[in-house]
Structures are given as C-alpha cells and as structure tokens.
Amino acid sequence: MFQQIIFVSLCTFIIHLSETLTYSLRLAGVRAGKLAVAISLSGVIVLISRTANMLQAPLTGTIVDTSRLTSDLDIVMQFRLIIASASVGTLTAILLFPSAVLLSKRIISHLEVAGSLPQLLISSVSLHKMKNARSHLRFPRLAMLSRLRIGGIPKRLVVLNIAVTAIYTIGVLAALLASTFVHESSTAASQSSGLINGVATILLTLFIDPQIGLLTDKVMKGEKQISALNKVFGLLMISRLLGTILAQFLLIPAAHWINVMVQLL
C-alpha cells in the first residue's frame, strides 16, 4: 500500500510539474516570436501529464478499495499526502521556470532545423548536449519576486486561478473520498468528479484562458511589454501553488458536497 501511495504521489507531482512548466514554453515562444511552434510543443508536455493521470486514477481507486478492508488506513491522510505532492510539483516548476524558458527557446530553434519532433529527439538526445544543458540552468532570484506585484494585473485572474487549481487538484480525490462516506451510493459518488471539475472547466474557459490569450496577443503586436507577460505567468504559477494549498482545506467539504448532489440527483 505504501508503494502505491508513493507512486500516485509521484504521478501527481509529474502532472502539476508538467502543467505548470507549459507557461515556460508559451513565454519562450513569445520571446522567440514563434508562439505557434511553442503551442505545438506544449502538446508533448500535455501528453506527459495525461499519461501520468492515466496511471494515477486506477491506483488511487485501489487505495480507496484497500481502505474499506483495512480500518487502520487513514484515507484522508493519504489523500492529503497526494495533494501535498501537487504542491511540491508546482513549487519545483516555479524553481525551474527560468531554466525551462531558456531551454524552451533552444528547443524551439532546434525544432525549426530538425523539422519534426521525432527528428528533434534523435538529434538532441546525446550525452554532449545533455551536459551543455547545464549551462542554461537558472534559478529564481529575489529580485524577480519584487517584480510580481499584482498592480496592472486583474486580481480576479489570480483569485480564479487559485480556485480552478484547487478544484482540479481535488476533483477525483473528493469523488473517491465521497464514495467512502456512504455505501448505498458509493459507485455514483466515485464517478462524480465531473461535478467538481466541471466548475473548474467553466471558470478556466470563460475567464482565465481568454485573458491570457488577449495579453499574449498584445505582447506579440508590441502593444504591451514582455515584462507584463512575465508578471502574469509568475503570478499564475504562484496562484497555482496557493491553489494546491487551498485544496487541502476543500477536500472534505467537496466530498460532502458531492454526496449531497448525488442524493439530489
């Protein structure tokens, strides 16, 4: 059981690490003037995230099944450890962000030469180039934090991103936890993560993505400075981290809310 929890936590770490690092590809694409190429490359990161999610879901269900048979297993505590791994993954992405932007710019330029992702992988994966990658390592400086004041950035964008991240982080976990509270409708509760994630999807689609897209377009046209986009991505990453922390407090209330909704339906 301990090994399963570690593996699920590792998958969660990879999901949040990779999804947060997609910001670095977008920023590198804007800096290089090749946003379309950067967006196409972000599909590789999304593929990594989806693969980790595919492995995470059944193993998390197994943990719940075991908790029903073993009264000694504190399922809430196990889920809190999984959520904590989401926070660690997001924090790691923040620390790697400056390095990821530099590496992403080089990957974008190499993709233009290679012409395709398979050819890029063949030409880039070598011991010599992996050693050279160390020269692009950068870590966030305190001066960067001083530039992340929320002035000029819609406060609702930051607040909504916190909420969306918290909801996505606990969507599946809350549904599985809800299934352990009531046995007569446990199957319905375990399949009701959409009740949580649906709210997050609506908020993301209507309020967050359009704001980022509009700002990116203005920067590409020269109407805004690149520093504005740096600030937005910095605040979005920090708000994602705060969202994973908020998820710890929302886990149990969300599970009870799912049970109420299942009973009503």
Side-chain angles (χ1 to χ4, degrees):
M1 174 55 62
F2 180 74
Q3 292 178 337
Q4 288 179 333
I5 294 170
I6 292 296
F7 193 78
V8 170
S9 297
L10 178 61
C11 288
T12 305
F13 172 89
I14 293 172
I15 290 169
H16 285 263
L17 172 71
S18 57
E19 290 183 352
T20 305
L21 284 179
T22 56
Y23 294 143
S24 66
L25 264 173
R26 291 190 190 183
L27 184 57
V30 172
R31 288 182 178 179
K34 297 177 174 62
L35 183 59
V37 178
I39 291 175
S40 68
L41 281 171
S42 67
V44 177
I45 296 181
V46 171
L47 179 61
I48 295 172
S49 174
R50 294 294 180 267
T51 302
N53 191 63
M54 181 181 65
L55 297 172
Q56 177 205 44
L59 284 173
T60 308
T62 302
I63 293 173
V64 174
D65 291 338
T66 305
S67 72
R68 292 194 177 103
L69 302 174
T70 309
S71 58
D72 295 335
L73 183 63
D74 186 349
I75 189 64
V76 174
M77 182 56 65
Q78 310 310 318
F79 281 2
R80 293 199 184 284
L81 289 174
I82 294 171
I83 295 172
S85 68
S87 300
V88 174
T90 305
L91 179 59
T92 303
I94 293 173
L95 295 176
L96 293 176
F97 187 75
S99 303
V101 173
L102 292 175
L103 288 171
S104 295
K105 287 181 68 176
R106 288 188 63 84
I107 291 172
I108 290 170
S109 63
H110 287 322
L111 179 60
E112 286 190 304
V113 175
S116 66
L117 281 174
Q119 190 61 39
L120 174 66
L121 291 174
I122 294 172
S123 61
S124 299
V125 178
S126 67
L127 184 60
H128 175 69
K129 290 188 177 181
M130 291 177 67
K131 287 181 179 180
N132 286 341
R134 292 182 298 180
S135 63
H136 298 284
L137 292 179
R138 302 287 188 277
F139 292 98
R141 299 186 300 271
L142 291 177
M144 295 179 181
L145 293 177
S146 66
R147 292 195 292 267
L148 291 181
R149 292 186 296 272
I150 203 167
I153 304 300
K155 295 180 179 63
R156 68 177 180 274
L157 181 66
V158 176
V159 173
L160 283 172
N161 201 47
I162 293 173
V164 167
T165 303
I167 293 169
Y168 268 131
T169 302
I170 62 167
V172 174
L173 297 177
L176 290 172
L177 181 61
S179 71
T180 66
F181 291 162
V182 285
H183 295 290
E184 61 272 13
S185 57
S186 60
T187 302
S190 66
Q191 299 299 315
S192 301
S193 60
L195 292 173
I196 297 281
N197 289 343
V199 175
T201 301
I202 293 171
L203 292 174
L204 182 68
T205 304
L206 294 182
F207 299 107
I208 297 178
D209 279 350
Q211 290 276 348
I212 299 173
L214 286 171
L215 180 59
T216 303
D217 191 51
K218 288 181 180 179
V219 172
M220 294 289 290
K221 290 179 179 179
E223 298 175 7
K224 288 275 190 179
Q225 296 293 324
I226 188 69
S227 59
L229 200 58
N230 292 340
K231 180 188 287 189
V232 165
F233 285 144
L235 289 172
L236 286 176
M237 288 190 295
I238 291 175
S239 62
R240 280 182 66 94
L241 178 61
L242 294 176
T244 61
I245 296 171
L246 177 62
Q248 297 279 5
F249 299 94
L250 296 182
L251 175 62
I252 294 177
H256 285 297
W257 181 75
I258 286 176
N259 276 330
V260 170
M261 294 302 294
V262 168
Q263 296 298 325
L264 291 175
L265 295 174

PDB file of all heavy atoms in Angstrom, residues 125-153:
ATOM      1  N   VAL A 125      19.025  14.221 -28.303  1.00  0.00           N
ATOM      2  CA  VAL A 125      19.341  13.333 -27.177  1.00  0.00           C
ATOM      3  C   VAL A 125      20.738  12.758 -27.378  1.00  0.00           C
ATOM      4  O   VAL A 125      20.953  11.785 -28.091  1.00  0.00           O
ATOM      5  CB  VAL A 125      18.298  12.199 -27.061  1.00  0.00           C
ATOM      6  CG1 VAL A 125      18.677  11.263 -25.920  1.00  0.00           C
ATOM      7  CG2 VAL A 125      16.916  12.773 -26.843  1.00  0.00           C
ATOM      8  N   SER A 126      21.693  13.411 -26.743  1.00  0.00           N
ATOM      9  CA  SER A 126      23.075  12.924 -26.745  1.00  0.00           C
ATOM     10  C   SER A 126      23.726  13.351 -25.447  1.00  0.00           C
ATOM     11  O   SER A 126      23.299  14.323 -24.806  1.00  0.00           O
ATOM     12  CB  SER A 126      23.854  13.488 -27.944  1.00  0.00           C
ATOM     13  OG  SER A 126      24.028  14.877 -27.828  1.00  0.00           O
ATOM     14  N   LEU A 127      24.762  12.628 -25.055  1.00  0.00           N
ATOM     15  CA  LEU A 127      25.434  12.925 -23.789  1.00  0.00           C
ATOM     16  C   LEU A 127      26.039  14.322 -23.816  1.00  0.00           C
ATOM     17  O   LEU A 127      25.972  15.064 -22.828  1.00  0.00           O
ATOM     18  CB  LEU A 127      26.525  11.874 -23.521  1.00  0.00           C
ATOM     19  CG  LEU A 127      27.248  11.991 -22.177  1.00  0.00           C
ATOM     20  CD1 LEU A 127      26.263  11.853 -21.023  1.00  0.00           C
ATOM     21  CD2 LEU A 127      28.343  10.924 -22.077  1.00  0.00           C
ATOM     22  N   HIS A 128      26.615  14.705 -24.955  1.00  0.00           N
ATOM     23  CA  HIS A 128      27.248  16.021 -25.065  1.00  0.00           C
ATOM     24  C   HIS A 128      26.224  17.143 -24.892  1.00  0.00           C
ATOM     25  O   HIS A 128      26.471  18.118 -24.153  1.00  0.00           O
ATOM     26  CB  HIS A 128      27.936  16.146 -26.425  1.00  0.00           C
ATOM     27  CG  HIS A 128      28.523  17.495 -26.686  1.00  0.00           C
ATOM     28  ND1 HIS A 128      29.619  17.976 -25.986  1.00  0.00           N
ATOM     29  CD2 HIS A 128      28.147  18.488 -27.553  1.00  0.00           C
ATOM     30  CE1 HIS A 128      29.905  19.195 -26.416  1.00  0.00           C
ATOM     31  NE2 HIS A 128      29.028  19.525 -27.360  1.00  0.00           N
ATOM     32  N   LYS A 129      25.063  17.028 -25.546  1.00  0.00           N
ATOM     33  CA  LYS A 129      24.057  18.079 -25.457  1.00  0.00           C
ATOM     34  C   LYS A 129      23.395  18.101 -24.091  1.00  0.00           C
ATOM     35  O   LYS A 129      22.985  19.167 -23.607  1.00  0.00           O
ATOM     36  CB  LYS A 129      23.014  17.895 -26.561  1.00  0.00           C
ATOM     37  CG  LYS A 129      23.591  18.194 -27.947  1.00  0.00           C
ATOM     38  CD  LYS A 129      22.544  18.200 -29.014  1.00  0.00           C
ATOM     39  CE  LYS A 129      23.138  18.579 -30.365  1.00  0.00           C
ATOM     40  NZ  LYS A 129      22.149  18.623 -31.435  1.00  0.00           N
ATOM     41  N   MET A 130      23.281  16.951 -23.456  1.00  0.00           N
ATOM     42  CA  MET A 130      22.726  16.926 -22.108  1.00  0.00           C
ATOM     43  C   MET A 130      23.660  17.619 -21.123  1.00  0.00           C
ATOM     44  O   MET A 130      23.222  18.295 -20.196  1.00  0.00           O
ATOM     45  CB  MET A 130      22.460  15.484 -21.673  1.00  0.00           C
ATOM     46  CG  MET A 130      21.323  14.815 -22.437  1.00  0.00           C
ATOM     47  SD  MET A 130      21.052  13.099 -21.984  1.00  0.00           S
ATOM     48  CE  MET A 130      20.462  13.278 -20.309  1.00  0.00           C
ATOM     49  N   LYS A 131      24.971  17.475 -21.342  1.00  0.00           N
ATOM     50  CA  LYS A 131      25.925  18.190 -20.496  1.00  0.00           C
ATOM     51  C   LYS A 131      25.857  19.690 -20.733  1.00  0.00           C
ATOM     52  O   LYS A 131      25.955  20.486 -19.800  1.00  0.00           O
ATOM     53  CB  LYS A 131      27.343  17.672 -20.767  1.00  0.00           C
ATOM     54  CG  LYS A 131      27.623  16.285 -20.213  1.00  0.00           C
ATOM     55  CD  LYS A 131      29.055  15.867 -20.508  1.00  0.00           C
ATOM     56  CE  LYS A 131      29.351  14.485 -19.920  1.00  0.00           C
ATOM     57  NZ  LYS A 131      30.751  14.059 -20.211  1.00  0.00           N
ATOM     58  N   ASN A 132      25.674  20.085 -21.998  1.00  0.00           N
ATOM     59  CA  ASN A 132      25.572  21.508 -22.315  1.00  0.00           C
ATOM     60  C   ASN A 132      24.320  22.139 -21.724  1.00  0.00           C
ATOM     61  O   ASN A 132      24.278  23.352 -21.482  1.00  0.00           O
ATOM     62  CB  ASN A 132      25.565  21.718 -23.830  1.00  0.00           C
ATOM     63  CG  ASN A 132      26.941  21.509 -24.440  1.00  0.00           C
ATOM     64  OD1 ASN A 132      27.952  21.554 -23.749  1.00  0.00           O
ATOM     65  ND2 ASN A 132      26.979  21.264 -25.740  1.00  0.00           N
ATOM     66  N   ALA A 133      23.289  21.318 -21.487  1.00  0.00           N
ATOM     67  CA  ALA A 133      22.038  21.845 -20.931  1.00  0.00           C
ATOM     68  C   ALA A 133      22.254  22.450 -19.548  1.00  0.00           C
ATOM     69  O   ALA A 133      21.519  23.341 -19.118  1.00  0.00           O
ATOM     70  CB  ALA A 133      20.989  20.740 -20.857  1.00  0.00           C
ATOM     71  N   ARG A 134      23.297  21.993 -18.851  1.00  0.00           N
ATOM     72  CA  ARG A 134      23.563  22.533 -17.518  1.00  0.00           C
ATOM     73  C   ARG A 134      23.918  24.007 -17.563  1.00  0.00           C
ATOM     74  O   ARG A 134      23.722  24.736 -16.587  1.00  0.00           O
ATOM     75  CB  ARG A 134      24.699  21.746 -16.852  1.00  0.00           C
ATOM     76  CG  ARG A 134      24.325  20.304 -16.499  1.00  0.00           C
ATOM     77  CD  ARG A 134      25.471  19.590 -15.801  1.00  0.00           C
ATOM     78  NE  ARG A 134      26.653  19.503 -16.653  1.00  0.00           N
ATOM     79  CZ  ARG A 134      27.798  18.932 -16.281  1.00  0.00           C
ATOM     80  NH1 ARG A 134      27.912  18.420 -15.069  1.00  0.00           N
ATOM     81  NH2 ARG A 134      28.819  18.881 -17.124  1.00  0.00           N
ATOM     82  N   SER A 135      24.433  24.474 -18.698  1.00  0.00           N
ATOM     83  CA  SER A 135      24.804  25.885 -18.804  1.00  0.00           C
ATOM     84  C   SER A 135      23.585  26.794 -18.855  1.00  0.00           C
ATOM     85  O   SER A 135      23.708  28.017 -18.703  1.00  0.00           O
ATOM     86  CB  SER A 135      25.661  26.112 -20.054  1.00  0.00           C
ATOM     87  OG  SER A 135      24.925  25.807 -21.229  1.00  0.00           O
ATOM     88  N   HIS A 136      22.422  26.217 -19.084  1.00  0.00           N
ATOM     89  CA  HIS A 136      21.199  27.005 -19.150  1.00  0.00           C
ATOM     90  C   HIS A 136      20.431  27.005 -17.835  1.00  0.00           C
ATOM     91  O   HIS A 136      19.323  27.545 -17.775  1.00  0.00           O
ATOM     92  CB  HIS A 136      20.288  26.476 -20.268  1.00  0.00           C
ATOM     93  CG  HIS A 136      20.902  26.564 -21.633  1.00  0.00           C
ATOM     94  ND1 HIS A 136      21.008  27.740 -22.332  1.00  0.00           N
ATOM     95  CD2 HIS A 136      21.478  25.606 -22.412  1.00  0.00           C
ATOM     96  CE1 HIS A 136      21.601  27.523 -23.488  1.00  0.00           C
ATOM     97  NE2 HIS A 136      21.898  26.233 -23.560  1.00  0.00           N
ATOM     98  N   LEU A 137      20.991  26.403 -16.814  1.00  0.00           N
ATOM     99  CA  LEU A 137      20.305  26.355 -15.533  1.00  0.00           C
ATOM    100  C   LEU A 137      20.310  27.733 -14.887  1.00  0.00           C
ATOM    101  O   LEU A 137      21.344  28.362 -14.718  1.00  0.00           O
ATOM    102  CB  LEU A 137      20.973  25.334 -14.605  1.00  0.00           C
ATOM    103  CG  LEU A 137      20.835  23.855 -14.999  1.00  0.00           C
ATOM    104  CD1 LEU A 137      21.562  22.971 -14.008  1.00  0.00           C
ATOM    105  CD2 LEU A 137      19.360  23.455 -15.083  1.00  0.00           C
ATOM    106  N   ARG A 138      19.133  28.194 -14.533  1.00  0.00           N
ATOM    107  CA  ARG A 138      18.961  29.455 -13.821  1.00  0.00           C
ATOM    108  C   ARG A 138      17.943  29.222 -12.707  1.00  0.00           C
ATOM    109  O   ARG A 138      17.025  28.432 -12.855  1.00  0.00           O
ATOM    110  CB  ARG A 138      18.447  30.563 -14.750  1.00  0.00           C
ATOM    111  CG  ARG A 138      19.324  30.854 -15.941  1.00  0.00           C
ATOM    112  CD  ARG A 138      20.599  31.586 -15.561  1.00  0.00           C
ATOM    113  NE  ARG A 138      21.319  32.018 -16.745  1.00  0.00           N
ATOM    114  CZ  ARG A 138      22.139  31.248 -17.452  1.00  0.00           C
ATOM    115  NH1 ARG A 138      22.324  29.979 -17.103  1.00  0.00           N
ATOM    116  NH2 ARG A 138      22.762  31.719 -18.520  1.00  0.00           N
ATOM    117  N   PHE A 139      18.112  29.937 -11.629  1.00  0.00           N
ATOM    118  CA  PHE A 139      17.164  29.813 -10.528  1.00  0.00           C
ATOM    119  C   PHE A 139      16.550  31.178 -10.239  1.00  0.00           C
ATOM    120  O   PHE A 139      17.193  32.218 -10.454  1.00  0.00           O
ATOM    121  CB  PHE A 139      17.853  29.260  -9.275  1.00  0.00           C
ATOM    122  CG  PHE A 139      18.294  27.836  -9.428  1.00  0.00           C
ATOM    123  CD1 PHE A 139      19.606  27.527  -9.754  1.00  0.00           C
ATOM    124  CD2 PHE A 139      17.388  26.806  -9.272  1.00  0.00           C
ATOM    125  CE1 PHE A 139      20.013  26.204  -9.905  1.00  0.00           C
ATOM    126  CE2 PHE A 139      17.782  25.476  -9.419  1.00  0.00           C
ATOM    127  CZ  PHE A 139      19.092  25.181  -9.741  1.00  0.00           C
ATOM    128  N   PRO A 140      15.298  31.181  -9.770  1.00  0.00           N
ATOM    129  CA  PRO A 140      14.645  32.465  -9.486  1.00  0.00           C
ATOM    130  C   PRO A 140      15.437  33.269  -8.457  1.00  0.00           C
ATOM    131  O   PRO A 140      15.968  32.717  -7.493  1.00  0.00           O
ATOM    132  CB  PRO A 140      13.276  32.043  -8.919  1.00  0.00           C
ATOM    133  CG  PRO A 140      13.065  30.664  -9.418  1.00  0.00           C
ATOM    134  CD  PRO A 140      14.422  30.033  -9.507  1.00  0.00           C
ATOM    135  N   ARG A 141      15.506  34.575  -8.681  1.00  0.00           N
ATOM    136  CA  ARG A 141      16.181  35.463  -7.743  1.00  0.00           C
ATOM    137  C   ARG A 141      15.133  36.268  -6.973  1.00  0.00           C
ATOM    138  O   ARG A 141      13.995  36.420  -7.411  1.00  0.00           O
ATOM    139  CB  ARG A 141      17.121  36.412  -8.488  1.00  0.00           C
ATOM    140  CG  ARG A 141      18.217  35.687  -9.266  1.00  0.00           C
ATOM    141  CD  ARG A 141      19.208  36.683  -9.858  1.00  0.00           C
ATOM    142  NE  ARG A 141      18.558  37.599 -10.770  1.00  0.00           N
ATOM    143  CZ  ARG A 141      18.394  37.369 -12.069  1.00  0.00           C
ATOM    144  NH1 ARG A 141      18.828  36.233 -12.597  1.00  0.00           N
ATOM    145  NH2 ARG A 141      17.803  38.263 -12.842  1.00  0.00           N
ATOM    146  N   LEU A 142      15.549  36.784  -5.834  1.00  0.00           N
ATOM    147  CA  LEU A 142      14.627  37.571  -5.013  1.00  0.00           C
ATOM    148  C   LEU A 142      14.134  38.800  -5.776  1.00  0.00           C
ATOM    149  O   LEU A 142      13.012  39.262  -5.564  1.00  0.00           O
ATOM    150  CB  LEU A 142      15.315  37.999  -3.708  1.00  0.00           C
ATOM    151  CG  LEU A 142      15.612  36.867  -2.716  1.00  0.00           C
ATOM    152  CD1 LEU A 142      16.358  37.422  -1.508  1.00  0.00           C
ATOM    153  CD2 LEU A 142      14.322  36.181  -2.278  1.00  0.00           C
ATOM    154  N   ALA A 143      14.983  39.318  -6.683  1.00  0.00           N
ATOM    155  CA  ALA A 143      14.577  40.478  -7.477  1.00  0.00           C
ATOM    156  C   ALA A 143      13.355  40.166  -8.337  1.00  0.00           C
ATOM    157  O   ALA A 143      12.528  41.038  -8.614  1.00  0.00           O
ATOM    158  CB  ALA A 143      15.734  40.939  -8.351  1.00  0.00           C
ATOM    159  N   MET A 144      13.243  38.895  -8.773  1.00  0.00           N
ATOM    160  CA  MET A 144      12.087  38.502  -9.575  1.00  0.00           C
ATOM    161  C   MET A 144      10.802  38.600  -8.761  1.00  0.00           C
ATOM    162  O   MET A 144       9.762  39.031  -9.265  1.00  0.00           O
ATOM    163  CB  MET A 144      12.261  37.068 -10.085  1.00  0.00           C
ATOM    164  CG  MET A 144      13.417  36.883 -11.052  1.00  0.00           C
ATOM    165  SD  MET A 144      13.560  35.154 -11.577  1.00  0.00           S
ATOM    166  CE  MET A 144      15.000  35.241 -12.648  1.00  0.00           C
ATOM    167  N   LEU A 145      10.869  38.206  -7.484  1.00  0.00           N
ATOM    168  CA  LEU A 145       9.683  38.257  -6.638  1.00  0.00           C
ATOM    169  C   LEU A 145       9.217  39.690  -6.434  1.00  0.00           C
ATOM    170  O   LEU A 145       8.022  39.958  -6.363  1.00  0.00           O
ATOM    171  CB  LEU A 145       9.978  37.607  -5.278  1.00  0.00           C
ATOM    172  CG  LEU A 145      10.246  36.099  -5.300  1.00  0.00           C
ATOM    173  CD1 LEU A 145      10.599  35.604  -3.905  1.00  0.00           C
ATOM    174  CD2 LEU A 145       9.040  35.342  -5.842  1.00  0.00           C
ATOM    175  N   SER A 146      10.169  40.625  -6.347  1.00  0.00           N
ATOM    176  CA  SER A 146       9.803  42.031  -6.140  1.00  0.00           C
ATOM    177  C   SER A 146       9.049  42.602  -7.341  1.00  0.00           C
ATOM    178  O   SER A 146       8.326  43.591  -7.205  1.00  0.00           O
ATOM    179  CB  SER A 146      11.055  42.863  -5.862  1.00  0.00           C
ATOM    180  OG  SER A 146      11.893  42.910  -7.005  1.00  0.00           O
ATOM    181  N   ARG A 147       9.214  41.985  -8.512  1.00  0.00           N
ATOM    182  CA  ARG A 147       8.532  42.476  -9.714  1.00  0.00           C
ATOM    183  C   ARG A 147       7.155  41.848  -9.907  1.00  0.00           C
ATOM    184  O   ARG A 147       6.457  42.148 -10.873  1.00  0.00           O
ATOM    185  CB  ARG A 147       9.391  42.201 -10.957  1.00  0.00           C
ATOM    186  CG  ARG A 147      10.675  43.012 -10.999  1.00  0.00           C
ATOM    187  CD  ARG A 147      11.295  42.975 -12.384  1.00  0.00           C
ATOM    188  NE  ARG A 147      11.792  41.656 -12.737  1.00  0.00           N
ATOM    189  CZ  ARG A 147      13.050  41.257 -12.531  1.00  0.00           C
ATOM    190  NH1 ARG A 147      13.918  42.083 -11.963  1.00  0.00           N
ATOM    191  NH2 ARG A 147      13.437  40.049 -12.894  1.00  0.00           N
ATOM    192  N   LEU A 148       6.771  40.963  -8.993  1.00  0.00           N
ATOM    193  CA  LEU A 148       5.500  40.262  -9.143  1.00  0.00           C
ATOM    194  C   LEU A 148       4.365  40.914  -8.364  1.00  0.00           C
ATOM    195  O   LEU A 148       3.432  40.247  -7.955  1.00  0.00           O
ATOM    196  CB  LEU A 148       5.649  38.792  -8.691  1.00  0.00           C
ATOM    197  CG  LEU A 148       6.512  37.922  -9.578  1.00  0.00           C
ATOM    198  CD1 LEU A 148       6.553  36.500  -9.040  1.00  0.00           C
ATOM    199  CD2 LEU A 148       6.025  37.924 -11.015  1.00  0.00           C
ATOM    200  N   ARG A 149       4.463  42.214  -8.137  1.00  0.00           N
ATOM    201  CA  ARG A 149       3.352  42.914  -7.506  1.00  0.00           C
ATOM    202  C   ARG A 149       2.145  42.843  -8.426  1.00  0.00           C
ATOM    203  O   ARG A 149       2.264  42.896  -9.655  1.00  0.00           O
ATOM    204  CB  ARG A 149       3.731  44.377  -7.229  1.00  0.00           C
ATOM    205  CG  ARG A 149       4.802  44.537  -6.152  1.00  0.00           C
ATOM    206  CD  ARG A 149       5.004  46.015  -5.832  1.00  0.00           C
ATOM    207  NE  ARG A 149       5.526  46.727  -6.990  1.00  0.00           N
ATOM    208  CZ  ARG A 149       6.824  46.844  -7.268  1.00  0.00           C
ATOM    209  NH1 ARG A 149       7.727  46.269  -6.475  1.00  0.00           N
ATOM    210  NH2 ARG A 149       7.224  47.514  -8.339  1.00  0.00           N
ATOM    211  N   ILE A 150       0.984  42.748  -7.813  1.00  0.00           N
ATOM    212  CA  ILE A 150      -0.226  42.454  -8.574  1.00  0.00           C
ATOM    213  C   ILE A 150      -0.739  43.668  -9.353  1.00  0.00           C
ATOM    214  O   ILE A 150      -1.699  43.569 -10.107  1.00  0.00           O
ATOM    215  CB  ILE A 150      -1.319  41.910  -7.626  1.00  0.00           C
ATOM    216  CG1 ILE A 150      -2.350  41.086  -8.393  1.00  0.00           C
ATOM    217  CG2 ILE A 150      -1.997  43.059  -6.865  1.00  0.00           C
ATOM    218  CD1 ILE A 150      -3.254  40.294  -7.518  1.00  0.00           C
ATOM    219  N   GLY A 151      -0.111  44.827  -9.184  1.00  0.00           N
ATOM    220  CA  GLY A 151      -0.547  46.027  -9.889  1.00  0.00           C
ATOM    221  C   GLY A 151      -0.548  45.836 -11.396  1.00  0.00           C
ATOM    222  O   GLY A 151       0.421  45.347 -11.970  1.00  0.00           O
ATOM    223  N   GLY A 152      -1.639  46.238 -12.050  1.00  0.00           N
ATOM    224  CA  GLY A 152      -1.754  46.123 -13.501  1.00  0.00           C
ATOM    225  C   GLY A 152      -2.298  44.792 -13.969  1.00  0.00           C
ATOM    226  O   GLY A 152      -2.617  44.624 -15.141  1.00  0.00           O
ATOM    227  N   ILE A 153      -2.414  43.823 -13.080  1.00  0.00           N
ATOM    228  CA  ILE A 153      -2.950  42.502 -13.410  1.00  0.00           C
ATOM    229  C   ILE A 153      -4.305  42.355 -12.721  1.00  0.00           C
ATOM    230  O   ILE A 153      -4.421  42.625 -11.523  1.00  0.00           O
ATOM    231  CB  ILE A 153      -2.002  41.382 -12.929  1.00  0.00           C
ATOM    232  CG1 ILE A 153      -0.608  41.574 -13.522  1.00  0.00           C
ATOM    233  CG2 ILE A 153      -2.559  40.013 -13.306  1.00  0.00           C
ATOM    234  CD1 ILE A 153      -0.535  41.554 -15.020  1.00  0.00           C
TER     235      ILE A 153
END
